[in-house]
Amino acid sequence: MTKIPKERLGKYLNLQREFKEERYINLHPIQRGGVLTDAARKALLEFGDGYSTCDWCPPKAARLDAIERPPIAQFMQDLAEFLSMDVARVVTRCREAQFIAFATLGEPGDYVVVDGLAHYSTYIAAELARLKVKEVPHSGHPEFKLDLDAYADKIEEVKRETGKLPAAVLLTHVDYLYGNLNDAAVVGKICKKYEIPFILNAAYTGGVMPIDGKKLDVDILVSSGHKSWAASAPTGILALKEELVDRVLARSKMVGDWSERKFGLKEYALLGCTVMGGPLISLMASFPHVVDRVEHWGEEVEKARYLIEQLERIEGTRQLGVKPKQHTLTHMESEGLYKASQAHKRRGFFLYDELKRRNIVGIQPGLTKHFKLNTYGLTKAKVEHVAKAFLEIAKDQGLTIE
Amino acid sequence: MTKIPKERLGKYLNLQREFKEERYINLHPIQRGGVLTDAARKALLEFGDGYSTCDWCPPKAARLDAIERPPIAQFMQDLAEFLSMDVARVVTRCREAQFIAFATLGEPGDYVVVDGLAHYSTYIAAELARLKVKEVPHSGHPEFKLDLDAYADKIEEVKRETGKLPAAVLLTHVDYLYGNLNDAAVVGKICKKYEIPFILNAAYTGGVMPIDGKKLDVDILVSSGHKSWAASAPTGILALKEELVDRVLARSKMVGDWSERKFGLKEYALLGCTVMGGPLISLMASFPHVVDRVEHWGEEVEKARYLIEQLERIEGTRQLGVKPKQHTLTHMESEGLYKASQAHKRRGFFLYDELKRRNIVGIQPGLTKHFKLNTYGLTKAKVEHVAKAFLEIAKDQGLTIE
């Protein structure tokens, strides 16, 4: 052990977040759906102590999802039902949920077919499960629209090349780059025909918009509590159809060669218990709000469209991805703001500076030509403030406003 | 999507923990080291919102451990230094740290040699990594003392059976069943001789007692933030020697076959970012306290020994595991309390009931013959209250007190 000098410990004594929700309008593309409810804030503190969820762990079930006080077992059922799936587990991250699916459905060397806009976590989840990836293409600039029918071609391609079907198929419901919403039912139908498990990555959709796993023919739905369910990180959702439970939630078969101990209650790909603390409880505490808020998804999309319409008034500025926008995650391209940045002494950072002066944060510092933002959960007044700020900043830089 | 009826959502509206630290003396064997500091409680709330640690994610490094505001990057260094290791990461759980080590050091079918008292999570982490397990035996009842020299025999056995050395060796520093402390240096020396990576599972030791990874010849040290570092769940610690960084923290080599995207910054076995929220911040906020508290480990062991001495005054009652006790996690065997339970209308539950009447919780309901408890972090006065309670309860049941 090394004794860390006291003066080096000072930096940990009062850890504060600069961009508090009550002070700033935060447009950070990955943060809007993870802002806690007041109930979640209280619950997080209530179950802040490590392992505080485990006071009433039933000795004969001895698993997080079996605990009834607090109502974790009940929550797993309600969560599954909410998504029109059969069984749900809360795991540490959406990426872990993807890994669990890949590791249990595939053997090393198998293929998984994914969309060409899948998040990096999908690729490395496959890599950790020792699977190969085959991508379905998109249309490129400016729409970046996925060719969903090409899933069938890619499945055939894998079959031709390897002599067997892919272990699984994954579609990113809404992608992280352009916020395009995909019609999962198209891919669900293809997978059903081939009898390949269909994984829907609902990191940007579950918890903010209505999803019906059954209608979409989804076999495994993964999502992110801290991204879209008003929960603390780290929390992921893994929801399954009954038919896959035996594979994905398989119990441990390990036996100690000397001790002869067995661990047959434990779901081995989850490593047994997962989120045994505050973040799970925050997810549960926000659940009543989430159940309600998904019904107001249309209003959220309206606000995003309003902001895009305003931003597109700026010279040389347009929304990338499919139009009209069907999600609040937005990717803007602005030749105008880029031009302004070239003449500015702060270069690309001027946009960040000017927004921050107006209490708006979350756009990546330095970017002007391409930047992402998310309006989810902001009031109309705040979105109007953002629109006004952008127009003002553009005007100040001598750009034309339509 | 299924609309969950409002009346079913009521149970999530006010999630409260019954066994609050300020009201009860909680002896739960896995909970004592994870009670938050006040600083951690504040920090948890400050960074409660999902992804709130990511406000200042550096675009060119784009990884949790590279963030300097809050000082996460600095913390990784301080944490490694504190354990006398070279590099540290915070992952979601100690079991995930074990899995990461197994998955990156071994190929499917390889062996890992573990102690016969290893936690279930060690076995299923190996199972998920598709490794086999070979156990080092212990002496059985009543000491359950591991034969540390037998690590060499087991390594030889693997070599004989498979023609190759085990992929890794793991020792549980203090086991979950009897709280026996093992001299890790013995195993470290054996592993050094064979040039096999030595993993120390310090779930019950890192964060409560001083550990010097270098002196113990540890290659990979794993620990649990929510178990022993006054942090919220889920948090695990993965600390490495420099020599293993290239293997255990290997960067992604995946390339999108159509998009040609690469993810070469990401540590693939960690699935990229890990604990991007409150629990990590709680670990950091408690760190100054933890650095200080490990120096008072001797006093903690004294309190445990005092309680054991008092409990052993009860007829037919003794501590299991090695004596004298070197850790606060304690396993008691009581033929006396068991005898009393047989005559009691509440059977084994009488002990739980009687303790709870005295505001003492954490002993598993129903148990009398064998039960575990942990006194870590309780004041001497509280430990005395516990001792007195046990003696009173035993006396009331007509048991002899020495």
Side-chain angles (χ1 to χ4, degrees):
Chain A
M1 190 194 79
T2 309
K3 176 77 184 158
I4 309 286
K6 263 224 162 68
E7 57 274 20
R8 266 169 61 199
L9 295 171
K11 59 183 175 291
Y12 306 119
L13 289 181
N14 187 21
L15 294 167
Q16 299 241 1
R17 188 175 182 203
E18 191 180 342
F19 298 157
K20 291 190 199 348
E21 192 65 20
E22 55 272 27
R23 186 162 162 212
Y24 287 96
I25 298 177
N26 190 343
L27 302 172
H28 200 298
I30 65 174
Q31 292 189 8
R32 297 293 332 145
V35 177
L36 295 191
T37 58
D38 287 341
R41 236 172 275 279
K42 273 185 208 152
L44 181 64
L45 211 54
E46 191 76 17
F47 290 86
D49 287 341
Y51 282 122
S52 51
T53 52
C54 305
D55 289 332
W56 294 100
C57 183
K60 281 178 188 161
R63 235 171 47 204
L64 184 66
D65 61 279
I67 293 171
E68 295 185 352
R69 290 165 73 174
I72 297 172
Q74 300 91 317
F75 176 65
M76 299 296 161
Q77 288 172 17
D78 287 338
L79 179 58
E81 191 175 327
F82 176 59
L83 295 164
S84 296
M85 300 295 286
D86 297 321
V87 174
R89 294 286 182 271
V90 173
V91 297
T92 66
R93 291 154 294 166
C94 180
R95 56 194 69 188
E96 195 199 19
Q98 293 177 71
F99 168 68
I100 290 166
F102 291 158
T104 54
L105 296 176
E107 287 299 315
D110 282 356
Y111 266 97
V112 57
V113 175
V114 309
D115 55 293
L117 289 173
H119 189 247
Y120 85 79
S121 57
T122 298
Y123 293 84
I124 59 176
E127 189 171 9
L128 184 57
R130 299 171 186 255
L131 304 191
K132 292 176 191 157
V133 159
K134 178 84 75 182
E135 291 174 314
V136 167
H138 58 69
S139 62
H141 192 275
E143 269 199 312
F144 301 93
K145 194 179 160 82
L146 284 172
D147 178 8
L148 297 181
D149 293 320
Y151 268 94
D153 307 334
K154 292 294 166 182
I155 290 169
E156 289 292 346
E157 208 174 296
V158 169
K159 201 174 149 193
R160 254 191 334 268
E161 286 174 20
T162 68
K164 66 191 272 203
L165 290 170
V169 158
L170 181 140
L171 171 68
T172 313
H173 202 188
V174 161
D175 73 87
Y176 73 107
L177 269 170
Y178 307 101
N180 284 345
L181 175 68
N182 293 296
D183 183 0
V186 173
V187 183
K189 207 171 159 190
I190 295 170
C191 290
K192 205 172 185 178
K193 187 185 136 201
Y194 284 97
E195 295 183 0
I196 302 172
F198 173 37
I199 306 165
L200 185 66
N201 181 354
Y204 280 103
T205 53
V208 291
M209 59 175 270
I211 298 187
D212 190 312
K214 215 140 274 173
K215 274 197 194 142
L216 302 174
D217 275 322
V218 172
D219 296 300
I220 301 180
L221 189 150
V222 298
S223 193
S224 166
H226 45 276
K227 192 170 265 149
S228 303
W229 295 73
S232 288
T235 34
I237 289 163
L238 172 67
L240 312 168
K241 275 206 181 140
E242 188 60 47
E243 295 87 315
L244 283 171
V245 166
D246 286 348
R247 290 173 70 188
V248 177
L249 303 181
R251 309 286 185 89
S252 172
K253 292 189 182 63
M254 187 62 98
V255 185
D257 71 309
W258 176 83
S259 69
E260 296 179 349
R261 282 183 297 160
K262 292 177 187 174
F263 318 95
L265 279 171
K266 310 295 184 183
E267 294 167 344
Y268 83 93
L270 277 66
L271 297 174
C273 299
T274 52
V275 184
M276 56 295 264
L280 166 61
I281 304 295
S282 74
L283 180 67
M284 290 163 55
S286 282
F287 187 60
H289 168 71
V290 164
V291 167
D292 181 64
R293 80 183 190 182
V294 297
E295 303 203 15
H296 301 279
W297 177 243
E299 300 154 37
E300 295 293 338
V301 174
E302 279 312 311
K303 281 181 279 180
R305 287 181 184 174
Y306 163 80
L307 181 60
I308 290 162
E309 192 188 293
Q310 294 301 309
L311 293 185
E312 289 191 333
R313 291 173 58 201
I314 300 169
E315 174 190 338
T317 302
R318 64 166 165 179
Q319 172 225 314
L320 294 185
V322 175
K323 292 183 146 192
K325 198 74 204 147
Q326 291 178 287
H327 193 271
T328 57
L329 173 68
T330 304
H331 189 136
M332 299 302 298
E333 179 180 70
S334 179
E335 294 292 346
L337 290 167
Y338 178 67
K339 190 178 75 180
S341 78
Q342 294 305 94
H344 201 286
K345 65 176 188 301
R346 286 278 291 153
R347 290 281 166 158
F349 289 88
F350 92 90
L351 179 60
Y352 179 82
D353 296 345
E354 289 297 324
L355 288 170
K356 196 171 174 198
R357 283 210 308 130
R358 293 162 172 89
N359 287 328
I360 299 166
V361 294
I363 305 272
Q364 192 179 303
L367 300 186
T368 50
K369 199 170 187 175
H370 290 105
F371 55 89
K372 296 196 291 178
L373 55 85
N374 195 337
T375 51
Y376 186 77
L378 293 177
T379 60
K380 185 68 196 281
K382 285 187 175 177
V383 177
E384 283 168 355
H385 175 75
V386 172
K388 197 166 149 257
F390 267 99
L391 295 177
E392 260 178 35
I393 294 166
K395 210 173 160 194
D396 286 352
Q397 296 299 317
L399 299 177
T400 315
I401 309 294
E402 231 178 55
Chain B
M1 188 195 82
T2 310
K3 177 76 184 159
I4 309 285
K6 265 228 160 64
E7 57 274 20
R8 266 169 61 199
L9 295 172
K11 59 183 175 291
Y12 305 119
L13 289 181
N14 188 21
L15 294 167
Q16 298 242 0
R17 188 175 181 202
E18 191 180 344
F19 298 157
K20 291 190 200 346
E21 192 64 19
E22 55 272 27
R23 185 161 164 214
Y24 286 96
I25 298 177
N26 190 343
L27 302 170
H28 200 298
I30 64 174
Q31 292 189 7
R32 298 292 330 145
V35 177
L36 295 191
T37 57
D38 287 341
R41 236 172 276 279
K42 272 184 207 152
L44 181 65
L45 211 55
E46 192 75 19
F47 290 86
D49 287 342
Y51 283 122
S52 51
T53 53
C54 305
D55 289 332
W56 294 100
C57 183
K60 282 179 186 158
R63 235 170 48 204
L64 184 66
D65 61 278
I67 293 171
E68 294 185 353
R69 291 165 72 175
I72 297 171
Q74 299 92 315
F75 176 65
M76 299 295 161
Q77 288 173 18
D78 287 338
L79 179 59
E81 191 175 327
F82 176 59
L83 295 165
S84 295
M85 300 296 285
D86 297 321
V87 173
R89 294 286 182 270
V90 173
V91 297
T92 65
R93 292 154 293 166
C94 180
R95 56 195 69 188
E96 194 200 20
Q98 294 177 70
F99 168 68
I100 290 165
F102 292 159
T104 54
L105 297 176
E107 287 299 316
D110 282 355
Y111 265 97
V112 57
V113 175
V114 309
D115 55 291
L117 289 173
H119 189 247
Y120 85 80
S121 57
T122 298
Y123 294 83
I124 58 177
E127 190 171 9
L128 184 56
R130 299 171 186 256
L131 304 190
K132 293 177 192 157
V133 159
K134 178 85 75 181
E135 291 174 314
V136 168
H138 58 69
S139 62
H141 192 276
E143 269 198 313
F144 301 92
K145 193 178 160 83
L146 284 171
D147 178 8
L148 297 181
D149 294 320
Y151 269 94
D153 308 334
K154 291 294 167 183
I155 290 168
E156 289 292 346
E157 208 174 295
V158 169
K159 201 175 149 190
R160 254 192 333 269
E161 286 173 21
T162 68
K164 66 192 271 203
L165 290 171
V169 158
L170 181 140
L171 171 68
T172 313
H173 202 189
V174 160
D175 73 88
Y176 73 106
L177 269 170
Y178 307 102
N180 285 344
L181 175 68
N182 293 296
D183 183 359
V186 173
V187 183
K189 207 172 159 188
I190 294 169
C191 291
K192 204 170 184 180
K193 188 185 135 200
Y194 284 97
E195 295 183 358
I196 302 172
F198 173 37
I199 305 166
L200 185 68
N201 181 353
Y204 280 103
T205 53
V208 292
M209 59 176 270
I211 298 188
D212 190 312
K214 213 140 276 173
K215 275 197 194 143
L216 301 174
D217 275 322
V218 172
D219 296 301
I220 301 180
L221 189 150
V222 298
S223 193
S224 165
H226 45 276
K227 192 171 264 149
S228 303
W229 296 73
S232 288
T235 35
I237 289 163
L238 172 67
L240 312 168
K241 274 204 182 143
E242 187 59 46
E243 295 87 314
L244 284 170
V245 166
D246 286 348
R247 289 172 71 187
V248 178
L249 303 182
R251 310 285 185 90
S252 172
K253 292 188 180 63
M254 187 63 97
V255 186
D257 71 310
W258 176 83
S259 69
E260 296 180 348
R261 281 183 298 160
K262 292 177 187 174
F263 317 95
L265 280 171
K266 310 296 184 182
E267 294 167 344
Y268 83 94
L270 277 66
L271 298 174
C273 300
T274 52
V275 184
M276 56 296 264
L280 166 61
I281 304 295
S282 74
L283 180 68
M284 289 164 53
S286 282
F287 186 60
H289 168 72
V290 164
V291 166
D292 181 64
R293 80 183 189 181
V294 297
E295 303 202 16
H296 301 280
W297 176 243
E299 300 155 36
E300 295 294 337
V301 174
E302 279 313 311
K303 281 182 279 180
R305 287 181 183 174
Y306 163 81
L307 180 59
I308 291 162
E309 193 187 294
Q310 294 301 309
L311 293 185
E312 288 192 332
R313 292 173 59 200
I314 300 169
E315 173 190 338
T317 302
R318 64 166 165 178
Q319 173 225 313
L320 294 185
V322 175
K323 293 182 145 193
K325 198 76 203 147
Q326 291 178 286
H327 194 271
T328 57
L329 173 68
T330 303
H331 189 136
M332 299 302 299
E333 179 181 71
S334 179
E335 295 292 346
L337 291 167
Y338 177 67
K339 190 179 75 181
S341 78
Q342 295 305 95
H344 201 285
K345 66 176 189 300
R346 285 279 290 153
R347 289 281 166 157
F349 289 89
F350 91 90
L351 179 60
Y352 180 82
D353 296 346
E354 289 297 325
L355 288 169
K356 196 170 174 198
R357 282 209 308 127
R358 292 163 174 88
N359 288 328
I360 298 165
V361 294
I363 306 270
Q364 192 179 304
L367 300 186
T368 51
K369 199 171 187 175
H370 290 105
F371 55 89
K372 295 196 291 178
L373 55 85
N374 195 338
T375 51
Y376 185 76
L378 292 176
T379 60
K380 185 69 196 281
K382 284 187 176 177
V383 176
E384 283 168 354
H385 175 75
V386 171
K388 198 167 148 256
F390 268 99
L391 295 177
E392 261 179 35
I393 294 166
K395 211 174 161 190
D396 286 353
Q397 295 301 316
L399 299 177
T400 315
I401 309 294
E402 232 178 55

